Amino acid sequence: SSSLTQSACSSYSLNGQIYNSTGTYTQLLSNAAGCDSTLTLNLTIRQPSSSSLTQSACSSYSLNGQIYNSTGTYTQLLSNAAGCDSTLTLNLTIIDIDTTVSLNGTTITAVPGAIYQWINCDNSNLPISGETSQSFTPAVNGNYAVEITLNGCSEISACTNVLISGSNVFDLSKVVVYPNPTKDKILIDFGSDLQFAELSVYAMNGKLLNKINTQNSRQILISLENYTAGLYFIEIKTKEGNFSVLKVSKL
């Protein structure tokens, strides 16, 4: 006779016999001499477990070292306290904020359905007192953006250049950018030779990524090779104060 003490997750197999619960079991076998051999199994069955988690987050969510960037249902296979499989199901909602703004004359308008705070990009992104509506009409020339808050999350739009004087509005019909979308480089055609132009490349969050000056040229080639895929804004200013803002998509 002999005895065996074992533990297992869910089930345990011994000599072709499967056991699914904790207990003491006996098997009658034959030993080397051809006589009865009694085997006693002292078995502990440990059980796997499962659980679910529902979460919402801004931009991304981290769980057990894994980062998730989009809404969905995800499964992680872990170990529980008993050392067996533990299946964790994550029901995740990523709050996506649309920071698109439109410029009509000198009025900037954000998408509806959120909380707003307009800011002055030319003054260290300081909030403008009392300007918390969906639309904002500045009193002076400058670059302005809006901080949009939705379901506890906040994002800042790209800066928009506003010129109060109608005589300084750049002729958008003359500006051509191609290819758009692009994988690496874009060519900007001003429509005519410019004595001087300053081009500023902004990310969606309003961060200035690059500034380029050009003189006595009609076209300029700008590289986006080192930028991640997404939407970028290119602001063009002439020495006379004329401006244009181009939207470029990087693949």
Side-chain angles (χ1 to χ4, degrees), residues 33 46 81 111 120-121 125 133 143 152 181 193 213 215 218 221 238:
R46 296 173 281 113
V111 294
N120 190 335
C121 300
N125 282 354
S133 300
N143 294 281
D193 289 341
N213 293 333
Q215 293 183 346
R218 173 172 176 158
L221 189 66
T238 68

Side-chain angles (χ1 to χ4, degrees), residues 28-224:
L28 187 61
L29 310 170
S30 292
N31 60 18
C35 298
D36 288 344
S37 173
T38 303
L39 174 60
T40 300
L41 171 64
N42 301 300
L43 179 63
T44 300
I45 292 295
R46 296 173 281 113
Q47 296 298 332
S49 60
S50 63
S51 60
S52 63
L53 179 66
T54 300
Q55 289 288 342
S56 61
C58 308
S59 301
S60 64
Y61 182 75
S62 177
L63 180 64
N64 298 317
Q66 181 70 42
I67 298 176
Y68 303 96
N69 298 304
S70 57
T71 296
T73 300
Y74 304 93
T75 301
Q76 290 188 355
L77 187 61
L78 311 170
S79 293
N80 60 20
C84 296
D85 288 343
S86 174
T87 303
L88 174 60
T89 301
L90 171 64
N91 302 299
L92 178 63
T93 300
I94 294 295
I95 299 173
D96 185 22
I97 299 178
D98 187 353
T99 59
T100 302
V101 297
S102 60
L103 179 63
N104 184 9
T106 59
T107 298
I108 318 171
T109 302
V111 294
I115 298 173
Y116 311 94
Q117 175 60 66
W118 292 92
I119 62 177
N120 190 335
C121 300
D122 298 329
N123 191 19
S124 303
N125 282 354
L126 288 178
I128 302 171
S129 178
E131 297 297 343
T132 57
S133 300
Q134 180 187 350
S135 295
F136 169 58
T137 303
V140 297
N141 296 344
N143 294 281
Y144 301 93
V146 61
E147 182 181 43
I148 302 176
T149 301
L150 180 65
N151 296 328
C153 298
S154 296
E155 289 190 24
I156 298 177
S157 72
C159 296
T160 299
N161 185 278
V162 179
L163 288 177
I164 307 304
S165 173
S167 61
N168 281 336
V169 176
F170 194 80
D171 188 358
L172 293 175
S173 64
K174 292 184 178 180
V175 180
V176 178
V177 55
Y178 56 91
N180 190 12
T182 182
K183 291 184 179 180
D184 42 37
K185 297 180 177 66
I186 59 168
L187 181 68
I188 298 177
D189 190 323
F190 302 118
S192 61
D193 289 341
L194 285 178
Q195 184 179 1
F196 174 84
E198 179 185 81
L199 294 92
S200 301
V201 182
Y202 292 94
M204 278 289 292
N205 61 4
K207 181 180 179 181
L208 177 63
L209 302 177
N210 192 13
K211 184 171 287 190
I212 307 164
N213 293 333
T214 180
Q215 293 183 346
N216 300 318
S217 60
R218 173 172 176 158
Q219 296 180 334
I220 184 171
L221 189 66
I222 297 179
S223 174
L224 303 179

